[in-house]
Amino acid sequence: MSMRFEEIDWRPTAMGDLSLRRRRDPASGDDVYEVKLGDEFLMSSLFTAGEIALTRLGLEQLPDSELDVAVGGLGLGYTARAVLEDRRVRSLTVIEALGEVIEWHERGYVPLGASLTSDPRCRLVQGDFFAMAGDGSGLDPQEPDRRFHAILLDIDHSPRHVLHPSHSALYEPKGLRALARLLHPGGIFALWSNDPPEAAFNAVLAEVFTRSESHVVDFPNPLQGKPATNTVYVAG
């Protein structure tokens, strides 16, 4: 049995102090992994329904053929793992701004690290997703003009609650048009949000994409003893 609490890693970064912690859940006895940036909780292995739903909803409308997928944000790896569990996926490129997070996976500090880094379809790329999507350089440094069948994004808390002001431009029509150019015809953009569906952002998606919708994902919150929700936006 693991100790009740352990700070596995702590690093100062350009975005703030980053820490990876493990604690034992007293109810289940399972290890819970948590990531904090400064004073904010970024993610927890206790809540993964939204990340998994992001993949399911983002890929379910695509044809039964080989897929190339890009994911913005590595985190604890649950979105990436769900992508690799889809038998159609030929390649997965995960863009993560913090090299420390990639290192956690490469060193096996997080539960999914070994399975992601050992899968030949999966490549972890350090980079600023928002800059790469917006400046024409593309999401694959090895192939700048590369297009994807799906781009799944799970970095900010929501389109209006961003981790850095530079991210906001992506959620406007100009930013989304630049991102849409990185998709194959018929490709899908899907976005995770911690907030309820926003009518204003749905309107922006409808301005750029032919079709768009928002899905509310319900899941239990054992810490509060009541259900919680995330939102997944899907557009193509």
Side-chain angles (χ1 to χ4, degrees):
M1 181 178 292
S2 67
M3 63 180 68
R4 298 179 104 183
F5 176 85
E6 177 185 10
E7 185 170 68
I8 300 171
D9 195 23
W10 176 92
R11 309 277 188 95
T13 76
M15 297 179 67
D17 293 340
L18 181 72
S19 64
L20 172 65
R21 301 138 40 112
R22 177 175 57 208
R23 65 177 177 84
R24 192 167 72 246
D25 180 24
S28 66
D30 295 334
D31 284 341
V32 176
Y33 289 78
E34 299 169 332
V35 178
K36 287 188 70 177
L37 184 63
D39 294 327
E40 286 194 85
F41 278 94
L42 288 188
M43 61 206 71
S44 168
S45 63
L46 194 61
F47 307 109
T48 62
E51 289 92 332
I52 295 169
L54 170 65
T55 298
R56 176 180 59 82
L57 293 166
L59 301 187
E60 68 180 6
Q61 298 181 25
L62 293 171
D64 188 13
S65 59
E66 291 186 326
L67 302 178
D68 298 314
V69 180
V71 168
L74 174 57
L76 292 173
Y78 288 91
T79 298
R81 182 181 69 172
V83 170
L84 293 172
E85 288 176 346
D86 190 311
R87 62 175 179 78
R88 298 170 296 169
V89 171
R90 172 174 58 191
S91 72
L92 169 62
T93 304
V94 184
I95 299 93
E96 169 57 50
L98 297 171
E100 294 85 355
V101 175
I102 294 176
E103 188 177 328
W104 292 344
H105 287 262
E106 292 173 339
R107 293 191 173 191
Y109 288 176
V110 292
L112 303 184
S115 64
L116 295 183
T117 56
S118 64
D119 193 313
R121 297 172 296 164
C122 180
R123 185 155 54 95
L124 308 182
V125 175
Q126 183 179 357
D128 182 338
F129 176 93
F130 299 90
M132 294 164 74
D135 66 7
S137 64
L139 299 179
D140 186 345
Q142 297 180 3
E143 191 178 340
D145 296 327
R146 186 179 184 191
R147 292 189 176 192
F148 296 88
H149 299 95
I151 299 175
L152 313 178
L153 180 56
D154 177 10
I155 294 178
D156 293 314
H157 296 300
S158 77
R160 302 295 169 240
H161 185 189
V162 296
L163 294 179
H164 191 275
S166 64
H167 298 182
S168 296
L170 179 86
Y171 305 110
E172 301 300 330
K174 181 179 179 181
L176 289 174
R177 288 191 184 97
L179 183 142
R181 288 194 287 270
L182 304 176
L183 290 168
H184 286 295
I188 293 292
F189 167 60
L191 170 71
W192 175 91
S193 170
N194 195 43
D195 291 346
E198 300 175 12
F201 185 64
N202 275 318
V204 173
L205 287 172
E207 184 177 335
V208 175
F209 294 94
T210 303
R211 63 190 189 282
S212 61
E213 55 195 11
S214 55
H215 303 261
V216 175
V217 180
D218 299 294
F219 56 93
N221 184 335
L223 300 180
Q224 297 181 344
K226 61 181 181 180
T229 63
N230 292 159
T231 300
V232 174
Y233 298 93
V234 181

